[in-house]
Amino acid sequence: MKKKDFYLFIVPSLLMMFLFIAVPLAIVFQQSFYITQNVFEDVEVETCTPGFLKQICETEIQTKPKLDANGNIINVSVFVGLENYKNLLQIEKFKKSLYSFSLSEIEKINFWKAFRFTVTFCLITLPLVISLGLLIAITVNNLTQSLKGPVIFISLLPFIITPIIGALAIRWLFVGEGILTSLIEYLLERDIALFASAWTLELLMVIYRVWHVAPFAFIVFYAGLQTVNKETLESAVIDGANRFERLRYIVIPHLMPLIIFVSLIHLMDSYRVFEEIVAFSSQAYVISLQWLTYDFLTPDDTGNRLINRASTSAMLTMIGVSVIILPLLKRTWADYREGNL
Amino acid sequence: MIETNSLKQPLSLKISSSIFVVLWCVIASFPILWITVMSVKLPIDAFSSNPLTVIFGPLTSNERNYLSFQDLLFCTFVLTIFIKFKAKIYNFYNKFINFNDILNIIFFYIFTIILFYLAFKSFNYFIPVLDVLDFKSLGYTFEHYQTVWVERGFSIYFKNSVIVTFGVVIVSLTFGTLAGFALARSNSSIAFWILVIALIFRALPHSILVAGYLPFFMNSSEILRPILGDLAPTLFGKPMAVIAVLVAINQPFTIWLMRSFFQNIPSELDEAARIDGCSHFQAFLKIIMPIMWPGVITTGLFSFMLGYNDYLVTSLLLDAQNQTMVPAISGLFNRDTSTTDQIVAVAAAVSITAPLFLLVLFFQKQIVSGLTAGAVKG
């Protein structure tokens, strides 16, 4: 393909990505070093209250936001360097609580609270998703042909459902006197409140996420199982390998590239954990990094959005993304050099 | 291939693996089934701690509508017939009408059910013994759906969802097919770097991007005035702006997926067309696109899901009257004041899920191929 044609084909897509991904990224980077404030001015205000014989007048100096000609509050952006980052990270407080090994102190700083949850969430769901997906793929692969279609259909439902709706469905099963809470209470013979403590909420989020993503892992692994070399399996049988050994030494190594692929995609997506927080209304107990940025962007009671703080937390979120993306890039680079891409 | 005994599974393994599959199917479908059941019940039944009360809804059947035991029997009967003699019934009809598309098949099912129903009723008319079975068993009511769609404005949100979703699908497919084709046919290092950058963009949390758009979108009419004059729009709250944003967010995934589909089409095909005198674009449009439809449909499905399912971008960038269905639901479930409100939210959730359910029903194969396209080759 000639260069000119190549560019003609690719330019609309590149332009979209440039305008709506690259440019906002640059803007966010810049915003994270600024603070947008209202301009205040000191106004001398004389307040008079009617008194006997004479009015009692007081003059005081009040600070009021300055208004422009249209009556809107004037904002200015001030360069503050790393001030926003310091405010968000609270390094001093963080260090202090780190030295005293008190996790509860760290949890009081919103950013570290969100960071702690996001990272543990990724790391806990990962092995669960992979192993459950693998288990379903292997068992479904053994089913008779006519049953595979319906099982795949049912398996796709948790994956296809709108994330926030899926999380809400789980919420309604467990909230208050929900059907599964009642069951657990019946089994334990005591009252439980799943939505009133951090660890139960986190457990529910893990359950939801595994339920939601396992089908994806299953479908990918299932497709991979179709390409396992039958002759290798047969020769393993002749060599006396039992079922578990065949799985361990032939099937799993064959699926290994897929396992890595699913892991990386899952890490990418679970690092963005957000909908669970909204659906479970868990912000008082559990928050995630993406939710933190979202919360700064949501207008407060007076209609203000903390854009600069949001930008700062967004930039800090990026650091984690780069850690996850590096192995993926390495893999793509290797593929490219071997000409497999 | 040799069939050895040791490749066959022992009975114990067979049993335990089928139990596991059944268990997984129950877990996978249960939450969705359960909210569907809840949504057609009165609050007292729906939030009962006894599962049987939730399923049968005694209060609902007393105060609203119900299916009698007879009706249920009829339904099971028809279902069994369908499952057992599907092919035979199908062939029987095929003698009269040619069923070759989905609409015909739907028509065929409805027609058969009506036929069965009439037969059943007339049978009951002549032999009234079955009246004994005519007692209330399964209560249902659609009043929550009515509340959601009529009073709470979901019909408007639905319309907005349709606009945003289809906008995203159409634009993202147009741009994605072009870019995917170019990337699949080019070996240059620029193509590689574009793919790598797309991969990095794919990993970005969406809230980062929204933090970049918000200030610009809110003040866009002032910022763009020097360029566009008085036509400069305020982008905040506009569906068009959200479509552009979602298309951009979706573009990295789309071009990777499209590229892998285009790579499956041998490049000799468009080279042949080029030799016959087509330009690159003509070869793309006349030779490649006609055989690319499966890939386009698959990619379109994933764009659809992204546009339809998005909560974060739409909730921050759309104003109240342009709100789509998914963010609108947060206004419903946060009112924890009464149980009726909660059931209304449940009905809204089921309403949002229904189109996705149909999507899996009709496009299962395409979704599966999309999930595996990028992965299995590597």
Side-chain angles (χ1 to χ4, degrees):
Chain A
M1 207 169 193
K2 267 188 270 167
K3 267 218 162 112
K4 198 190 114 204
D5 288 322
F6 175 73
Y7 285 121
L8 274 180
F9 271 81
I10 210 160
V11 110
S13 177
L14 274 189
L15 196 69
M16 280 311 263
M17 288 199 282
F18 176 74
L19 278 181
F20 290 97
I21 300 182
V23 173
L25 265 185
I27 295 177
V28 168
F29 182 68
Q30 188 215 13
Q31 278 170 357
S32 68
F33 298 108
Y34 283 82
I35 287 183
T36 309
Q37 288 170 321
N38 301 337
V39 182
F40 288 99
E41 57 182 352
D42 290 338
V43 192
E44 216 170 82
V45 186
E46 193 178 32
T47 40
C48 293
T49 42
F52 185 61
L53 291 179
K54 212 180 172 184
Q55 278 187 332
I56 305 164
C57 284
E58 283 171 356
T59 48
E60 57 176 351
I61 292 170
Q62 282 185 349
T63 341
K64 279 189 173 174
K66 210 172 176 177
L67 304 179
D68 65 5
N70 298 327
N72 296 323
I73 299 170
I74 301 174
N75 287 322
V76 281
S77 290
V78 189
F79 181 80
V80 288
L82 292 173
E83 199 60 38
N84 287 334
Y85 289 89
K86 279 183 194 150
N87 281 337
L88 208 63
L89 288 170
Q90 309 239 348
I91 296 283
E92 294 302 314
K93 222 170 145 190
F94 175 69
K95 268 187 193 159
K96 221 188 245 169
S97 37
L98 207 60
Y99 292 142
S100 57
F101 291 110
S102 85
L103 197 66
S104 60
E105 280 299 312
I106 298 176
E107 293 271 306
K108 280 180 189 159
I109 310 167
N110 269 341
F111 176 81
W112 292 108
K113 185 180 172 185
F115 181 78
R116 203 273 309 151
F117 168 68
T118 309
V119 171
T120 44
F121 183 76
C122 289
L123 295 180
I124 291 174
T125 48
L126 180 64
L128 293 175
V129 165
I130 298 291
S131 48
L132 186 62
L134 208 55
L135 206 57
I136 302 169
I138 289 167
T139 44
V140 170
N141 199 31
N142 288 338
L143 284 178
T144 45
Q145 201 60 38
S146 60
L147 283 175
K148 283 177 182 171
V151 171
I152 291 175
F153 172 76
I154 294 173
S155 303
L156 277 176
L157 291 177
F159 171 73
I160 198 110
I161 197 170
T162 311
I164 199 155
I165 304 294
L168 278 174
I170 304 282
R171 172 194 165 120
W172 283 316
L173 291 182
F174 287 101
V175 80
E177 289 299 301
I179 200 71
L180 291 183
T181 311
S182 305
L183 180 70
I184 298 168
E185 281 177 352
Y186 175 77
L187 293 175
L188 295 179
E189 294 180 336
R190 68 188 181 87
D191 279 354
I192 51 168
L194 291 172
F195 286 80
S197 67
W199 75 270
T200 44
L201 274 166
E202 284 175 30
L203 187 69
L204 285 178
M205 287 176 190
V206 169
I207 289 174
Y208 159 72
R209 187 52 78 126
V210 172
W211 176 76
H212 177 59
V213 189
F216 165 65
F218 151 55
I219 297 289
V220 174
F221 295 154
Y222 175 73
L225 282 179
Q226 311 307 310
T227 59
V228 174
N229 192 337
K230 290 253 163 58
E231 270 125 40
T232 323
L233 276 180
E234 276 158 22
S235 50
V237 172
I238 291 164
D239 288 348
N242 64 26
R243 201 166 293 279
F244 176 76
E245 283 167 339
R246 291 201 299 272
L247 184 71
R248 169 75 185 76
Y249 293 107
I250 297 173
V251 178
I252 303 269
H254 176 77
L255 291 180
M256 212 53 207
L258 297 183
I259 292 176
I260 293 169
F261 169 80
V262 172
S263 305
L264 290 171
I265 295 284
H266 173 70
L267 282 177
M268 248 190 224
D269 289 345
S270 59
Y271 188 74
R272 295 198 282 228
V273 51
F274 164 71
E275 271 96 348
E276 285 92 331
I277 312 279
V278 178
F280 291 152
S281 313
S282 72
Q283 51 271 36
Y285 304 97
V286 183
I287 57 173
S288 73
L289 283 173
Q290 177 147 241
W291 186 87
L292 195 67
T293 313
Y294 177 84
D295 190 45
F296 288 137
L297 289 174
T298 319
D300 60 13
D301 296 335
T302 54
N304 280 326
R305 298 168 197 261
L306 302 168
I307 304 270
N308 298 103
R309 284 182 146 238
S311 307
T312 315
S313 87
M315 286 323 290
L316 288 169
T317 312
M318 290 275 297
I319 297 169
V321 174
S322 54
V323 172
I324 296 166
I325 195 101
L326 271 178
L328 196 59
L329 292 181
K330 234 172 109 183
R331 197 178 98 108
T332 320
W333 176 243
D335 280 352
Y336 175 65
R337 274 205 318 209
E338 288 162 21
N340 289 336
L341 194 73
Chain B
M1 138 153 211
I2 43 161
E3 267 304 324
T4 43
N5 268 338
S6 57
L7 270 182
K8 278 187 192 148
Q9 297 184 324
L11 192 66
S12 61
L13 191 69
K14 256 187 183 165
I15 291 173
S16 56
S17 79
S18 11
I19 289 175
F20 177 76
V21 171
V22 171
L23 197 69
W24 161 247
C25 287
V26 170
I27 292 172
S29 57
F30 179 72
I32 301 167
L33 279 179
W34 198 252
I35 60 170
T36 316
V37 169
M38 278 172 84
S39 71
V40 293
K41 297 285 154 38
L42 288 177
I44 295 177
D45 283 337
F47 281 109
S48 163
S49 54
N50 181 354
L52 293 176
T53 315
V54 184
I55 295 170
F56 295 112
L59 192 80
T60 318
S61 56
N62 274 332
E63 299 198 352
R64 301 292 190 274
N65 320 314
Y66 63 88
L67 287 173
S68 65
F69 189 68
Q70 201 188 342
D71 296 329
L72 289 183
L73 215 61
F74 169 71
C75 289
T76 351
F77 177 68
V78 170
L79 267 181
T80 339
I81 296 278
F82 265 130
I83 292 166
K84 279 229 151 179
F85 302 103
K86 198 175 150 196
K88 276 189 183 163
I89 300 171
Y90 193 80
N91 284 339
F92 176 73
Y93 279 111
N94 240 346
K95 280 177 195 159
F96 307 106
I97 317 164
N98 198 15
F99 295 108
N100 43 15
D101 61 37
I102 292 164
L103 268 181
N104 276 334
I105 291 169
I106 292 170
F107 172 74
F108 146 77
Y109 278 111
I110 292 171
F111 187 67
T112 318
I113 288 172
I114 292 171
L115 210 70
F116 269 110
Y117 186 72
L118 289 177
F120 191 76
K121 279 286 163 191
S122 51
F123 176 71
N124 194 33
Y125 180 78
F126 293 116
I127 310 165
V129 177
L130 283 175
D131 272 352
V132 182
L133 301 173
D134 198 7
F135 53 85
K136 297 175 182 183
S137 48
L138 200 70
Y140 70 91
T141 169
F142 291 118
E143 64 186 47
H144 307 301
Y145 286 95
Q146 203 184 348
T147 318
V148 166
W149 284 84
V150 180
E151 287 169 33
R152 300 285 166 83
F154 254 61
S155 42
I156 301 165
Y157 300 141
F158 178 75
K159 192 196 79 192
N160 295 334
S161 272
V162 170
I163 293 172
V164 169
T165 310
F166 281 95
V168 169
V169 171
I170 291 164
V171 181
S172 119
L173 280 184
T174 319
F175 291 1
T177 35
L178 288 171
F181 180 68
L183 290 170
R185 291 289 182 264
S186 167
N187 299 319
S188 64
S189 58
I190 296 169
F192 169 73
W193 286 111
I194 289 170
L195 284 169
V196 165
I197 289 168
L199 202 61
I200 297 172
F201 285 168
R202 159 79 170 77
L204 293 180
H206 303 163
S207 60
I208 297 182
L209 303 173
V210 179
Y213 307 133
L214 259 177
F216 174 73
F217 278 16
M218 305 225 306
N219 303 319
S220 64
S221 68
E222 283 163 40
I223 298 170
L224 293 176
R225 184 152 295 151
I227 312 166
L228 296 174
D230 285 338
L231 288 172
T234 300
L235 289 172
F236 178 76
K238 297 284 182 306
M240 289 317 283
V242 168
I243 289 172
V245 167
L246 288 176
V247 166
I249 289 177
N250 198 20
Q251 225 21 237
F253 177 74
T254 311
I255 60 178
W256 269 88
L257 195 60
M258 276 293 183
R259 179 179 165 276
S260 74
F261 280 124
F262 276 121
Q263 277 184 328
N264 292 339
I265 296 173
S267 61
E268 284 80 16
L269 215 58
D270 42 305
E271 274 157 25
R274 296 264 296 144
I275 291 167
D276 289 347
C278 282
S279 71
H280 263 304
F281 189 71
Q282 277 172 327
F284 168 75
L285 210 61
K286 291 188 178 155
I287 309 294
I288 304 297
M289 280 317 283
I291 47 174
M292 256 302 279
W293 280 116
V296 172
I297 290 172
T298 304
T299 318
L301 283 170
F302 281 88
S303 308
F304 181 95
M305 287 186 332
L306 181 113
Y308 187 80
N309 287 345
D310 180 83
Y311 176 88
L312 200 151
V313 174
T314 41
S315 74
L316 283 174
L317 291 182
L318 284 175
D319 50 23
Q321 78 249 27
N322 287 319
Q323 201 62 272
T324 54
M325 286 204 284
V326 173
I329 200 175
S330 68
L332 292 176
F333 74 83
N334 279 336
R335 312 179 183 192
D336 282 38
T337 44
S338 73
T339 45
T340 316
D341 277 338
Q342 293 204 35
I343 295 296
V344 169
V346 174
V350 177
S351 309
I352 293 172
T353 312
L356 293 172
F357 183 81
L358 294 178
L359 214 65
V360 191
L361 203 61
F362 290 121
F363 296 109
Q364 182 179 333
K365 265 206 189 102
Q366 280 82 0
I367 295 172
V368 170
S369 80
L371 286 178
T372 52
V376 177
K377 277 190 308 166

